[in-house]
């Protein structure tokens, strides 16, 4: 199979997935805020997508090993398309919660399969670059998504219809790919829930620290997109300005995603992660003191995107450095699980902070980034698991 076509199709799928996620968080937050839903309940609804990821995560690895990447991507894509199309059918807090759970399940199937496919075929000296391209396209989609808030002025259903149609168009490109399967796990032959749990334990032992950057990324991404629109509206910031400030984070990651990925190939994943996490801590601390300034917040969002906007892709690359190829599906699965933990806790904690501790929203994010920074400093790589497997992608 043409490997350039493979990468092109996979990153296109990820781009549309980013678009859908970037659209859903602020649009539903704004709709609920206008309808008088409390910030804590608004944050609770935002966690539904990530609850779906957690629900399906333990069940994903065995179907991937049995059926391969392509069927998982097709099933996940179809789930997202149908769910998006159903939003305008019935405007209800709990129905929309259920649809977001379904989108979380579908999106996780997409991301798990595409991440594992890319990490599995990428040589170590180009892994950071290839995963950063993956992250770049997700960020492009995530940057464009919040701009759909302007469509609310035309019709509440329009953003959901546009997103569903774009997802359907991209879904058809998956049929261009030839199905493949991940490397076989020779140590654990049985395909069962118990075998997945055993692999979870083994992978966590050697690569636990690599799951913290995805956790941090999920926490701040969901908080910024799910909580910030509510926070900004309560601070008196115009909705038109919010629709510009929110995408600035993802826009910042567009600038630095590929350079940081290439730097991590050259200087090491850990060093680059330490640098961006510390920078993110200082930027969000500054944002806490500039919360009344639209321009100040825009610059902070842009700069933070340039720094911590790559933590998810860098975390995946770091995980792949620490594990052998046969454990990459498990490692990618755990990256998704920790991303979900962060994405669930972020909006919920953010909603509570906005409701009861006015002015502390950005300081919660900066403190979380500092804790991950210290965890990375303390981590010492184990020699128990080594990755000497040959890879095939030479893009």
């Amino acid at each position: 199979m043409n490997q350039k076509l493979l990468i092109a199709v996979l990153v296109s799928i990820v781009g549309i997935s980013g678009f859908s996620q970037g659209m859903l968080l602020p649009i539903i937050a704004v709709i609920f805020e206008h309808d008088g839903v409390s910030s804590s309940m608004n944050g609770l609804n935002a966690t539904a997508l990530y609850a779906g990821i957690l629900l399906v995560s333990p069940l994903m690895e065995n179907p991937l090993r049995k059926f391969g990447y392509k069927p998982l991507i097709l099933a996940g894509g179809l789930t997202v398309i149908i769910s998006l199309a159903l939003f305008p059918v019935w405007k209800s807090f709990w129905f929309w919660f259920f649809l977001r759970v379904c989108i979380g399940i579908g999106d996780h199937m997409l991301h798990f399969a595409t991440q594992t496919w890319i990490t599995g075929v990428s040589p170590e000296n180009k892994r950071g670059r290839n995963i950063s391209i993956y992250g770049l396209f997700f960020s492009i989609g995530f940057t464009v998504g919040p701009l759909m808030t302007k469509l609310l002025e035309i019709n509440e259903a329009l953003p959901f219809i546009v997103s569903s149609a774009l997802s359907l168009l991209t879904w058809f490109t998956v049929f261009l790919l030839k199905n493949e399967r991940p490397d076989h796990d020779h140590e654990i032959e049985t395909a069962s829930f118990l075998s997945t749990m055993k692999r979870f334990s083994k992978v966590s032992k050697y690569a636990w620290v690599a799951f913290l950057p995805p956790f941090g990324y999920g926490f701040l991404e969901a908080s910024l997109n799910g909580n910030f629109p509510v926070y900004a509206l309560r601070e008196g910031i115009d909705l038109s300005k919010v629709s510009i400030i929110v995408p600035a984070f993802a826009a910042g990651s567009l600038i630095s995603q590929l350079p940081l990925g290439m730097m991590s190939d050259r200087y090491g994943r850990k060093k680059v992660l330490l640098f961006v996490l510390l920078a993110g801590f200082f930027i969000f601390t500054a944002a806490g003191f500039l919360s009344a300034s639209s321009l100040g917040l825009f610059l902070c969002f842009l700069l933070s995107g340039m720094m911590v906007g790559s933590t998810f892709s860098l975390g995946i690359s770091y995980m792949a450095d620490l594990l052998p190829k046969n454990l990459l599906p498990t490692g990618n699965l755990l990256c998704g699980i920790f991303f979900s933990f962060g994405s669930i806790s972020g909006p919920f904690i953010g909603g509570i902070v906005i409701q009861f501790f006015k002015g502390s929203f950005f300081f919660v994010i900066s403190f979380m980034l500092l804790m991950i920074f210290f965890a990375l400093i303390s981590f010492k790589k184990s020699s128990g698991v080594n990755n000497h497997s040959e890879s095939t992608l030479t893009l």
Side-chain angles (χ1 to χ4, degrees):
M1 181 172 57
N2 186 314
Q3 291 174 341
K4 288 186 177 180
L5 174 64
L6 170 66
I7 296 297
V9 170
L10 294 183
V11 299
S12 297
I13 293 165
V14 167
I16 294 299
S17 174
F19 173 83
S20 298
Q21 288 187 35
M23 178 209 73
L24 279 177
L25 284 165
I27 278 183
I28 294 180
V30 168
I31 290 173
F32 282 160
E33 176 68 9
H34 285 165
D35 289 349
V37 177
S38 71
S39 64
S40 56
M41 289 299 288
N42 208 328
L44 175 65
N45 197 276
T47 66
L49 187 143
Y50 309 104
I53 295 175
L54 286 177
L55 282 172
V56 78
S57 286
L59 310 174
M60 282 292 95
E61 185 177 1
N62 293 327
L64 180 70
R65 293 183 183 277
K66 184 176 181 180
F67 302 111
Y69 302 110
K70 185 175 173 179
L72 220 60
I73 293 172
L74 288 171
L78 193 58
T79 303
V80 171
I81 292 163
I82 294 171
S83 300
L84 286 169
L86 288 175
F87 271 93
V89 173
W90 184 26
K91 187 179 178 183
S92 159
F93 182 92
W94 292 112
F95 180 61
W96 282 17
F97 186 93
F98 170 74
L99 291 179
R100 291 174 97 166
V101 170
C102 292
I103 288 175
I105 291 171
D107 266 335
H108 187 50
M109 293 169 77
L110 289 176
H111 286 282
F112 174 48
T114 52
Q115 285 169 24
T116 307
W117 209 341
I118 293 173
T119 53
V121 297
S122 297
E124 189 173 346
N125 66 336
K126 293 185 179 179
R127 185 175 290 138
R129 187 198 68 171
N130 290 338
I131 292 297
S132 69
I133 292 172
Y134 166 95
L136 178 65
F137 273 76
F138 182 84
S139 297
I140 290 172
F142 215 90
T143 303
V144 177
L147 298 177
M148 296 295 103
T149 53
K150 294 180 180 179
L151 296 181
L152 290 175
E153 298 171 7
I154 303 171
N155 191 299
E156 268 191 7
L158 195 54
F160 303 109
I161 295 169
V162 170
S163 183
S164 181
L166 289 174
S167 298
L168 181 62
L169 289 174
T170 312
W171 183 75
F172 282 118
T173 65
V174 182
F175 290 98
L176 299 173
L177 303 179
K178 181 182 177 183
N179 191 29
E180 294 180 5
R181 290 178 173 81
D183 278 17
H184 185 60
D185 190 338
H186 297 290
E187 295 185 16
I188 306 174
E189 297 292 338
T190 58
S192 65
F193 180 79
L194 180 61
S195 69
T196 297
M197 292 301 104
K198 288 180 179 178
R199 283 190 286 267
F200 275 9
S201 176
K202 183 174 183 179
V203 167
S204 298
K205 179 180 178 181
Y206 295 106
W208 63 268
V209 76
F211 308 137
L212 297 182
F215 170 87
Y217 182 79
F219 188 102
L220 67 92
E221 175 203 72
S223 297
L224 295 181
N225 287 276
N227 293 132
F228 177 73
V230 175
Y231 174 80
L233 290 172
R234 293 189 178 190
E235 290 291 314
I237 299 175
D238 232 30
L239 180 59
S240 60
K241 291 180 180 178
V242 173
S243 66
I244 295 173
I245 294 171
V246 171
F249 176 82
S253 71
L254 298 181
I255 300 169
S256 62
Q257 188 91 223
L258 192 55
L260 284 174
M262 295 174 74
M263 283 174 62
S264 73
D265 286 333
R266 183 171 182 179
Y267 301 110
R269 237 69 75 183
K270 184 175 180 178
K271 290 179 181 177
V272 175
L273 276 167
L274 288 171
F275 168 71
V276 299
L277 286 166
L278 190 60
F281 163 74
F282 286 117
I283 292 167
F284 279 110
T285 300
F289 294 104
L290 297 170
S291 58
S293 168
S294 297
L295 178 59
L297 289 177
F298 175 81
L299 292 174
C300 286
F301 271 55
L302 184 67
L303 291 172
S304 65
M306 291 176 67
M307 293 293 102
V308 290
S310 299
T311 48
F312 185 78
S313 56
L314 288 170
I316 291 173
S317 300
Y318 191 29
M319 173 276 300
D321 291 344
L322 296 172
L323 296 174
K325 286 183 69 176
N326 67 309
L327 289 177
L328 287 182
T330 311
N332 277 283
L333 199 55
L334 283 167
C335 281
I337 289 173
F338 274 78
F339 170 79
S340 302
F341 282 139
S343 300
I344 287 174
S345 57
F348 186 67
I349 292 172
I352 292 173
V353 168
I354 291 170
Q355 194 164 339
F356 299 107
F357 304 98
K358 186 179 179 182
S360 303
F361 174 62
F362 291 112
F363 296 124
V364 170
I365 295 174
S366 63
F367 177 75
M368 177 272 302
L369 293 173
L370 188 63
M371 292 300 97
I372 297 175
F373 172 83
F374 284 126
L376 268 168
I377 285 181
S378 68
F379 178 74
K380 302 295 181 185
K381 184 176 179 180
S382 173
S383 58
V385 174
N386 295 302
N387 188 352
H388 299 300
S389 304
E390 293 297 321
S391 301
T392 57
L393 186 60
T394 56
L395 286 175

